Amino acid sequence: MSKKIGILGGTFDPPHKGHLSISLLSIKKLKLRYLIWAITKKNPFKKEPMLSLNKRIMLSKQMTSSFKKIKVKTYDKIIKSSETVNLINYLKKKYKNTEFFFVIGSDNLVGLHKWKDWKKLSKKCQITVFPREGFVAKSLKSKAFKTLGNQNLLLIKSKIVNISSSKLRKNYLR
């Protein structure tokens, strides 16, 4: 029987209870051995992060310290990339006989077709999609959903967590 490991990738700028909520739900619903918060230096589709990588790692570790099944890591230096497909390739080599679940919000499914090797990604890991407010209908009409379909995506039914790092940054900068 293979191990099941979840990955929640992102800049976590800043980390928030939405990240924690979908992490804990993923661990429970998917029966994961553990879930990795893979914190990237910079999202290729976004502006420079507000907080430094070290600060984001520190805040993430503080937030998850009482949850033994959530591990905070950064892989950019090891894999010399912030692209998800390279992270999954690295983890598949490192952890043999492991089934990977890459956890995203439905907002990321809308833009998934812009990611490097996005079609290959669905063959290397189970792309697991949580609902995000304002993105569920859009995600079901997205190029990625139409191309990959239900058989290559795992759509999780859950309560929508109405929080985002973008909103937190806007409030912080006011």
Side-chain angles (χ1 to χ4, degrees), residues 26-51:
S26 295
I27 290 165
K28 185 177 173 187
K29 284 192 176 217
L30 304 170
K31 297 176 176 53
L32 301 176
R33 182 170 283 185
Y34 59 88
L35 182 134
I36 299 167
W37 280 18
I39 303 178
T40 188
K41 201 160 60 179
K42 184 184 181 315
N43 178 327
F45 301 107
K46 293 183 180 174
K47 299 190 303 233
E48 280 299 312
M50 180 178 76
L51 302 171

Side-chain angles (χ1 to χ4, degrees), residues 13-14 16 47 50 132 135 163-174:
D13 185 35
H16 55 71
K47 299 190 303 233
M50 180 178 76
R132 288 287 303 270
F135 289 95
I163 188 167
S164 74
S165 294
S166 314
K167 280 183 186 173
L168 290 173
R169 282 193 305 274
K170 279 181 192 146
N171 291 336
Y172 179 81
L173 294 170
R174 278 190 182 144

Side-chain angles (χ1 to χ4, degrees), residues 2-8 22-28 30-38 67-73 75 90-92 94-103:
S2 69
K3 293 184 288 214
K4 292 175 160 189
I5 296 175
I7 300 139
L8 180 64
I22 67 168
S23 298
L24 297 173
L25 254 167
S26 295
I27 290 165
K28 185 177 173 187
L30 304 170
K31 297 176 176 53
L32 301 176
R33 182 170 283 185
Y34 59 88
L35 182 134
I36 299 167
W37 280 18
F67 303 98
K68 299 292 171 245
K69 288 192 169 199
I70 299 176
K71 301 179 183 312
V72 175
K73 308 251 187 210
Y75 295 95
Y90 170 79
L91 292 172
K92 285 181 82 69
K94 187 173 177 174
Y95 301 100
K96 304 277 187 231
N97 301 320
T98 300
E99 188 179 356
F100 288 98
F101 292 80
F102 188 72
V103 178

Side-chain angles (χ1 to χ4, degrees), residues 10 37 41 46 50 55 59 61 74-75 82 85 92 118 121 126 134 138 144 149 157 161 164 171 174:
W37 280 18
K41 201 160 60 179
K46 293 183 180 174
M50 180 178 76
K55 179 82 171 167
L59 290 171
K61 284 183 175 179
T74 184
Y75 295 95
S82 60
V85 72
K92 285 181 82 69
W118 65 279
L121 189 62
Q126 179 64 67
K138 284 180 198 164
K157 286 186 173 77
V161 180
S164 74
N171 291 336
R174 278 190 182 144

